[in-house]
Amino acid sequence: GRYATTTEVYPDSPKATGEICNEAQVAAIVAALDFILAPPTGIPRFYPIGTPGKPWSDDERKQWKDSRKFHRSYKEEVLDKLDQIKLDNNDAMEVVQYGALSHDSERYPLFAVKSKQWEEDKLTLLVTGGVHGYETSGVQGALLFLQTKATKYTERVNIVVAPCVSPWAYEHIERWNADLKDPNRSFKKGSETEESAALISFLESLNVKEWACHLDLHETTDSDKTEFRPAKAAEAGSMYKDGIIPDGFYLVGDSEDPQLDFLQAIIDGVEKVTHIAPEK
């Protein structure tokens, strides 16, 4: 047969009786029947769009996009702040447009901020925010760094900050971009989104021989469990598996090159401001 197993009960257990063992065997049979009589995928509905177990069609992808709502203004919360940063730090920093999203180029220009005192022999820092547009502090934290701290380091370090890599997703508080693609999974040749391709092209134009440090600013929110992870699984036709949302600040390191001293230095700095997520 397609499915087969052997059941085993333990009638000598002090927790069991003969009647309980009989009921356990019946429960096993009923569970098996429920499984083989379920829809072919065996996947329950966990997201309102699509058919469980089947990848989304173009119509279902359009349904998702059409159901997204505007929540906040990229112009007011990002572009206007960049204008002010340009005014306040004209001697030290410059604001550079490196592209625009093709589906609305006027509404979604793409900007980075870089230090003017650029020298090849300096260490070079890259900060990216808003790769996932819904992660607010990645965007606003990058802008706050530019407003309050960046100019203190420009004599010693070349600085590049792309504060809002995915502006459509920022406005709609989404992980995906308008094409249902995740820019964070697209920073490699052949699978770029518009957002990642534009940023890669800009960074390559700087001819940096070696980036001394890259901080990619992210958040993990409760909506990861209620919206974004379920949507990702539904779109792929996969089963949704619940995950853990850590309570506090944490870092994602490179398993092949952990650089634990670097990560610990960041944890020590952040611990002065907020709590750190438990290890487990």
Side-chain angles (χ1 to χ4, degrees):
R2 184 178 177 188
Y3 298 104
T5 187
T6 300
T7 70
E8 297 281 356
V9 296
Y10 180 41
D12 295 327
S13 170
K15 299 178 182 179
T17 64
E19 183 178 349
I20 289 175
C21 289
N22 295 341
E23 291 176 354
Q25 301 287 22
V26 172
I29 297 168
V30 170
L33 283 168
D34 288 343
F35 180 85
I36 64 173
L37 291 172
T41 64
I43 299 176
R45 176 170 291 279
F46 56 86
Y47 196 76
I49 297 173
T51 301
K54 292 180 62 177
W56 286 357
S57 64
D58 289 342
D59 286 344
E60 288 162 337
R61 293 165 66 85
K62 183 177 184 301
Q63 181 185 351
W64 179 89
K65 184 176 179 180
D66 290 345
S67 66
R68 300 306 93 184
K69 296 180 180 179
F70 171 86
H71 291 280
R72 55 191 178 187
S73 170
Y74 174 57
K75 179 184 182 303
E76 293 176 3
E77 298 191 15
V78 179
L79 300 184
D80 288 352
K81 290 184 179 181
L82 287 175
D83 287 341
Q84 191 60 50
I85 288 168
K86 184 177 181 180
L87 289 173
D88 294 342
N89 303 284
N90 190 50
D91 293 337
M93 310 295 294
E94 61 179 330
V95 178
V96 180
Q97 182 173 353
Y98 62 87
L101 299 185
S102 61
H103 55 84
D104 197 336
S105 58
E106 291 188 8
R107 183 168 180 164
Y108 299 122
L110 302 172
F111 287 98
V113 180
K114 64 183 289 287
S115 50
K116 283 188 173 180
Q117 299 174 333
W118 193 273
E119 298 174 12
E120 288 188 3
D121 58 349
K122 287 181 181 178
L123 297 175
T124 304
L125 166 73
L126 171 63
V127 177
T128 48
V131 173
H132 290 148
Y134 75 100
E135 297 172 1
T136 306
S137 70
V139 176
Q140 296 302 323
L143 292 169
L144 185 61
F145 168 73
L146 289 168
Q147 292 166 329
T148 62
K149 302 292 185 182
T151 57
K152 298 178 182 179
Y153 294 91
T154 53
E155 290 187 3
R156 292 178 290 164
V157 181
N158 298 322
I159 295 175
V160 183
V161 179
C164 191
V165 173
S166 189
W168 181 91
Y170 182 82
E171 286 199 331
H172 293 80
I173 311 185
E174 293 294 339
R175 182 184 184 92
W176 285 331
N177 67 8
D179 298 317
L180 283 77
K181 294 180 179 179
D182 185 344
N184 198 44
R185 302 293 183 267
S186 306
F187 283 92
K188 51 187 176 181
K189 294 294 185 182
S191 64
E192 300 98 335
T193 62
E194 270 198 281
E195 295 85 352
S196 63
L199 183 57
I200 289 171
S201 178
F202 168 65
L203 296 177
E204 288 178 345
S205 74
L206 299 177
N207 295 315
V208 176
K209 294 179 181 178
E210 181 181 32
W211 297 90
C213 182
H214 175 204
L215 294 176
D216 190 22
L217 310 182
H218 283 260
E219 293 179 346
T220 304
T221 68
D222 288 343
S223 56
D224 282 37
K225 295 180 70 172
T226 59
E227 170 60 27
F228 304 123
R229 292 175 185 171
K232 180 181 179 181
E235 193 268 343
S238 303
M239 173 74 82
Y240 168 59
K241 297 180 181 179
D242 198 7
I244 297 173
I245 305 295
D247 182 356
F249 181 90
Y250 68 99
L251 295 168
V252 179
D254 184 340
S255 59
E256 296 182 0
D257 185 16
Q259 301 172 327
L260 296 181
D261 54 344
F262 169 66
L263 302 183
Q264 188 60 54
I266 296 175
I267 292 292
D268 293 344
V270 173
E271 198 167 23
K272 300 172 184 177
V273 177
T274 190
H275 66 289
I276 306 302
E279 293 186 12
K280 294 183 180 179

